[in-house]
């Protein structure tokens, strides 16, 4: 998997510059090759006729520690742009919107007992 952004950026001014001294450290979200991203911060990975959906690294970073995940039922369907689940963190609850339409063939049941997988592994174990 290739990253198309740096993981972090650190800026600082030198004492010889005309600006007052400062230091800024900013983490960037991971953007992975082979995934499509929605404006509402979901990602999609197509593998043949199957697509996997999750929330982006950026979204989980802004949510903070995820404490609960509401999952849809396998066998149901989703419509592009509509909500199909929710992610609850210590900060807020956010709907998860589907960037595509289709039938739900599998859900990640590991998230029921370990919702923090979204924080630690949003693109692998936290789908």
């Amino acid at each position: 998997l290739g990253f198309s952004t740096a993981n972090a950026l650190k800026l600082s001014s030198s004492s010889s510059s005309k600006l007052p001294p400062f230091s800024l450290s900013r983490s960037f979200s991971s953007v992975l090759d082979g995934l499509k991203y929605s404006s509402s911060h979901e990602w999609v990975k197509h593998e043949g006729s199957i697509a996997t959906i999750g929330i982006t690294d950026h979204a989980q970073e802004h949510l903070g520690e995820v404490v609960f995940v509401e999952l849809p039922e396998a066998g149901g369907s989703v419509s592009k742009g509509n909500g199909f689940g929710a992610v609850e963190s210590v900060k807020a609850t956010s709907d998860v919107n589907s960037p595509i339409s289709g039938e739900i063939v599998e859900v990640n049941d590991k998230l029921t007992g370990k919702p923090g997988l979204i924080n630690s592994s949003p693109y692998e174990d936290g789908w």
Side-chain angles (χ1 to χ4, degrees):
L1 299 173
F3 290 91
S4 62
T5 63
N7 288 334
L9 175 67
K10 185 173 182 178
L11 301 172
S12 63
S13 70
S14 67
S15 58
S16 63
S17 77
K18 297 184 191 271
L19 297 172
F22 72 91
S23 179
L24 170 68
S25 181
R26 168 82 166 93
S27 293
F28 288 96
S29 299
S30 298
V31 177
L32 302 177
D33 292 335
L35 301 182
K36 305 270 187 203
Y37 296 88
S38 71
S39 60
S40 57
H41 302 289
E42 289 85 17
W43 58 264
V44 178
K45 180 180 181 181
H46 286 273
E47 297 173 301
S49 63
I50 302 294
T52 303
I53 300 172
I55 67 169
T56 65
D57 186 45
H58 177 79
Q60 70 79 24
E61 195 172 286
H62 282 282
L63 281 169
E65 181 184 349
V66 175
V67 295
F68 177 77
V69 178
E70 179 186 326
L71 299 171
E73 293 288 325
S77 62
V78 294
S79 298
K80 182 178 179 178
N82 290 334
F84 67 90
V87 176
E88 183 179 330
S89 74
V90 294
K91 294 181 183 179
T93 299
S94 296
D95 289 332
V96 179
N97 298 309
S98 184
I100 58 174
S101 295
E103 179 187 346
I104 301 167
V105 294
E106 182 181 1
V107 296
N108 186 354
D109 291 325
K110 290 188 283 184
L111 295 177
T112 303
K114 295 182 179 180
L117 289 172
I118 290 175
N119 297 118
S120 63
S121 185
Y123 299 110
E124 290 86 25
D125 296 327
W127 57 273

